[in-house]
Structure formats: structure tokens, C-alpha cells
């Protein structure tokens, strides 16, 4: 059960429009390494996780990814709010506009719609946590790429916040992986050496 607070995790206050920037940032909403894929990945993987504390981490981070998705959607919305067709014409956002006007839709910057094929849930704790660590690094790289293209402080500030959270999530998944490996190694040790007391 979730409780929703009617505020963003980090403020987004963009006072200008820019369809080109919106098209770039859109990828973190519905692209292959975006926030929607991350939330779906972690919230799906938690059911098969045999360790409650690690399932809790997956739930916590998956929930936070939903908050990040909300932030990215807000950034895109503020960058496209009240755009005229003349402002959109000739920009990469024009193709998106034809299909969605300025509605927020899960798609990559390339225009490819979101697909569940972007993430994996195997049911193996080590495999899933390795997938999660890689996902966080790919998301960090995407935010790095966005920051190379975007220079306005109003946009860069929340993007930097999101990038930093990817690093924290990577670290938390690394800690969870070590915890799982320690448990599995201990379990295997005692199975192979029954003379030792647990």
C-alpha cells in the first residue's frame, strides 16, 4: 500500500519552453534506461526475492523510481507547456507532437514507445541484483549524456539530483548483493561441511 504526497521529491521550476530539450529528457521517462523501466523492474523482482530485507530495498527503490518518473514528466511538461506549432516545427519534438501533442507519453528520445522488454526479472537473487546495478549505471550514463546537452540551470538542477540518486541506488544494490552472496556462501559452506555447527 502506498501513500502519495502531493509534492515532488525534488523541486522542478522551469520558466521557459524548449521542445528540443524535452525530446532529450523524455528518454528518462519511457526510454530503455528510464525511470519507468527501473520502477517496473524492481517492483516486479521483489516478489521472488527470498530475503525480506532485500525485497524491502527493491520496494523502496522501486517506489523512489516512481517519484523520479514524476519528476521527469514534470520537466518535460514544463518544457512543452503552451508550445505553439510554430515553436515545435523543425525540432526533433515535431514527430512526438504529431502523435501525442504535448501529452506525456512513455517513449525514448528516439521515439520508440516504452516496452516491458526494457527490463528483466529472473527470480534469481544474484542475477536480478546484477541487472539492477547495471540498470542504475545505464541510467546514470543517460543523465550524464543529458547534462552534456543541457546547460540551463533550471533544468540541470533536478537532472543532477536524479543522477545522484542513481549512484545511491547502485550502492544500495551493491550492499544487497553482498548480503545475498554472504548468505548463499554461508549456506553452501554448512551444506558441504555438516560437522560445523551453525
Amino acid at each position: 500500500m502506498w501513500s502519495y504526497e502531493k509534492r515532488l521529491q525534488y523541486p522542478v521550476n522551469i520558466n521557459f519552453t524548449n521542445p528540443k530539450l524535452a525530446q532529450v529528457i523524455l528518454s528518462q521517462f519511457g526510454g530503455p534506461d528510464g525511470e519507468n523501466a527501473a520502477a517496473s523492474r524492481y517492483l516486479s523482482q521483489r516478489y521472488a526475492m527470498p530475503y525480506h530485507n532485500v525485497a524491502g530495498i527493491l520496494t523502496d527503490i522501486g517506489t523512489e523510481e516512481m517519484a523520479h518518473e514524476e519528476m521527469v514528466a514534470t520537466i518535460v511538461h514544463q518544457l512543452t507547456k503552451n508550445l505553439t506549432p510554430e515553436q515545435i516545427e523543425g525540432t526533433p519534438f515535431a514527430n512526438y507532437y504529431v502523435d501525442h501533442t504535448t501529452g506525456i507519453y512513455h517513449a525514448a528520445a528516439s521515439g520508440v514507445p516504452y516496452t516491458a522488454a526494457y527490463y528483466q526479472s529472473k527470480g534469481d537473487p544474484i542475477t536480478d541484483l546484477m541487472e539492477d546495478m547495471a540498470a542504475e549505471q545505464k541510467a546514470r550514463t543517460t543523465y550524464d549524456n543529458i547534462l552534456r546537452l543541457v546547460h540551463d540551470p533550471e533544468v540541470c538542477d533536478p537532472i543532477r539530483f536524479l543522477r545522484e540518486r542513481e549512484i545511491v541506488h547502485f550502492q544500495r544494490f551493491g550492499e544487497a548483493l553482498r548480503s545475498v552472496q554472504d548468505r548463499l556462501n554461508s549456506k553452501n559452506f554448512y551444506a558441504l561441511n555438516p560437522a560445523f555447527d551453525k
Side-chain angles (χ1 to χ4, degrees), residues 91-193:
T91 72
F93 192 74
N95 292 341
Y96 178 93
Y97 178 81
V98 169
D99 292 333
H100 310 290
T101 318
T102 57
I104 305 301
Y105 177 75
H106 286 100
S110 62
V112 176
Y114 176 81
T115 172
Y118 286 158
Y119 69 91
Q120 185 56 266
S121 180
K122 287 296 237 186
D124 177 84
I126 292 176
T127 302
D128 282 348
L129 289 167
M130 292 294 284
E131 157 100 359
D132 301 342
M133 291 175 70
E136 293 298 325
Q137 287 301 308
K138 291 186 286 183
R140 180 200 47 82
T141 300
T142 302
Y143 281 125
D144 284 343
N145 292 340
I146 290 170
L147 288 168
R148 287 182 186 102
L149 299 172
V150 177
H151 306 290
D152 190 282
E154 291 176 31
V155 180
C156 289
D157 187 45
I159 295 295
R160 281 193 192 96
F161 170 82
L162 291 166
R163 180 194 178 279
E164 291 304 313
R165 295 308 299 163
E166 305 300 344
I167 294 168
V168 171
H169 294 169
F170 174 80
Q171 292 167 339
R172 288 200 63 204
F173 284 135
E175 292 163 4
L177 177 63
R178 285 188 293 281
S179 167
V180 167
Q181 289 171 324
D182 288 347
R183 287 180 188 186
L184 293 174
N185 288 338
S186 173
K187 188 174 168 184
N188 290 339
F189 174 81
Y190 290 113
L192 295 171
N193 300 283

Side-chain angles (χ1 to χ4, degrees), residues 42 47 50 64 82 135 138:
Y42 310 147
Y47 293 103
E64 186 176 351
N82 301 321
K138 291 186 286 183

Side-chain angles (χ1 to χ4, degrees), residues 4-58:
Y4 177 73
E5 291 183 36
K6 293 184 179 181
R7 66 177 181 84
L8 295 177
Q9 185 183 13
Y10 189 88
V12 176
N13 298 300
I14 300 167
N15 297 306
F16 62 92
T17 57
N18 187 322
K20 290 197 303 192
L21 289 185
Q23 185 68 30
V24 168
I25 293 166
L26 185 64
S27 217
Q28 279 304 91
F29 185 65
D33 304 313
E35 304 295 351
N36 187 48
S40 299
R41 174 186 295 108
Y42 310 147
L43 294 175
S44 296
Q45 290 174 350
R46 69 191 173 130
Y47 293 103
M49 183 56 65
Y51 308 109
H52 294 297
N53 66 320
V54 180
I57 290 169
L58 289 164

